[in-house]
Amino acid sequence: MELVVTKTLFLCVLFTVSTAAPLQDAAVEDGDTSPAVIDRCAGVEFDAITPNEKGNTLFFKGDHLWNGFTGPAQLSTLYFKELNGPVNAAFRMHNTENPDDHDHIYLFQDDKVYSYFNQNLEEGYPKQIEEDFPGVPTHLDAAVECPKGECMTDSVLFFKGQDVHVYDITTKTVKTKTWSHLPSCTSAFRWLEHYYCFHGHNFTRFHPVSGEVTGAYPKDARHYFMNCPNFGHGGDRKPLKCSDVKLSAATTDDGGRTYFFAGNTSLNFCDILAS
């Protein structure tokens, strides 16, 4: 009986999250917030999006950012004190073979790049983009990391207009593709092994190797990537009450995906958030 109750409570929490937005991230200590001068629920075109080294998602706009899927706008300099003005692109490095670089946060401004770890600027930064990422253009629109297995090698996708510059982290070489079918991305984001191009207040999911778009896109980001009044996961989907849930079983596979069974129906929680 205790096991059934525990599973039921766990399911209720997950269903509540899935009908609104991904899990809320850690907040900044009291006294660190600035007035919410930008309302992302009004429809914001983000300058950049990236997870930080702890996995909290940062949304950049102008000289402000949001730390997580809920909460007010805060000054970017509260996290990255050396920044002066908006960023063009950002990504979290995936380079497990180089622990001195793995999980560092890279922020791009015009022709310069900043490297941070635990909100501390690395020695020697900012640098010219060409110095750190040879062959990658300046004044980027967006960037997103792409680990080996999802891309051919550990890579970074840099967006500028309709061109995508695929940077191989190991060989430091660039291959340029043109994805004219994809909207011009003002920011890009990897979430649960899926890739998203943000444009205006909408997003389009794409394949990181081919750029292929499958499904009905664009979609409004306010239904999926933030907690906004009158918006929720999937648009018109209403929150599921815990009293409506009758759990038969729950399990987690080797890839970390959690499945729930209710009668003859199975549900993958991770796929809910990534849909």
Side-chain angles (χ1 to χ4, degrees):
M1 177 63 70
E2 181 179 352
L3 178 60
V4 172
V5 171
T6 300
K7 287 183 176 180
T8 302
L9 291 174
F10 182 56
L11 176 64
C12 291
V13 172
L14 292 182
F15 268 109
T16 301
V17 174
S18 70
T19 55
L23 296 175
Q24 180 179 356
D25 296 311
V28 180
E29 295 179 0
D30 292 342
D32 283 348
T33 59
S34 63
V37 296
I38 307 174
D39 180 10
R40 59 178 163 180
C41 290
V44 171
E45 183 175 82
F46 297 111
D47 296 331
I49 305 173
T50 183
N52 65 13
E53 63 277 358
K54 297 179 181 178
N56 301 336
T57 304
L58 305 178
F59 298 82
F60 292 83
K61 181 64 177 180
D63 56 0
H64 284 71
L65 63 75
W66 291 265
N67 181 15
F69 298 97
T70 64
Q74 302 166 315
L75 289 172
S76 301
T77 50
L78 294 175
Y79 296 82
F80 309 105
K81 62 183 180 181
E82 293 83 5
L83 282 181
N84 182 19
V87 300
N88 305 125
F91 76 92
R92 180 179 63 182
M93 175 65 76
H94 182 87
N95 187 6
T96 55
E97 296 180 1
N98 184 359
D100 292 333
D101 201 27
H102 183 62
D103 278 346
H104 287 220
I105 310 305
Y106 285 85
L107 307 178
F108 296 81
Q109 284 186 328
D110 299 331
D111 60 349
K112 292 182 174 57
V113 58
Y114 297 72
S115 174
Y116 284 89
F117 189 73
N118 286 332
Q119 298 176 209
N120 293 315
L121 184 66
E122 293 297 295
E123 185 178 354
Y125 287 88
K127 296 180 180 179
Q128 295 292 315
I129 294 176
E130 176 68 22
E131 184 180 352
D132 233 8
F133 300 94
V136 173
T138 61
H139 298 82
L140 293 162
D141 293 330
V144 63
E145 73 277 13
C146 188
K148 183 179 180 180
E150 297 171 26
C151 281
M152 301 302 293
T153 63
D154 284 334
S155 306
V156 183
L157 308 182
F158 292 99
F159 294 80
K160 186 169 183 176
Q162 301 301 132
D163 291 337
V164 181
H165 305 273
V166 183
Y167 182 83
D168 187 308
I169 292 173
T170 301
T171 64
K172 297 184 180 297
T173 57
V174 176
K175 293 182 179 179
T176 301
K177 306 176 181 180
T178 300
W179 290 344
S180 57
H181 62 282
L182 196 66
S184 295
C185 307
T186 59
S187 57
F189 183 42
R190 174 179 177 266
W191 174 256
L192 295 176
E193 301 178 4
H194 291 288
Y195 292 78
Y196 301 92
C197 163
F198 283 74
H199 44 97
H201 61 268
N202 296 318
F203 69 90
T204 296
R205 195 172 79 185
F206 65 93
H207 192 281
V209 176
S210 66
E212 180 183 6
V213 176
T214 303
Y217 290 96
K219 295 181 180 180
D220 194 318
R222 291 170 290 183
H223 286 304
Y224 296 84
F225 289 98
M226 59 199 78
N227 192 354
C228 295
N230 303 318
F231 291 90
H233 179 80
D236 57 358
R237 181 173 175 177
K238 295 181 179 179
L240 186 63
K241 296 180 180 179
C242 287
S243 59
D244 296 332
V245 178
K246 296 181 179 180
L247 178 65
S248 300
T251 186
T252 301
D253 65 16
D254 293 338
R257 293 179 175 85
T258 302
Y259 296 86
F260 305 95
F261 297 86
N264 296 323
T265 302
S266 64
L267 182 63
N268 181 350
F269 173 63
C270 288
D271 285 345
I272 293 173
L273 295 184
S275 64

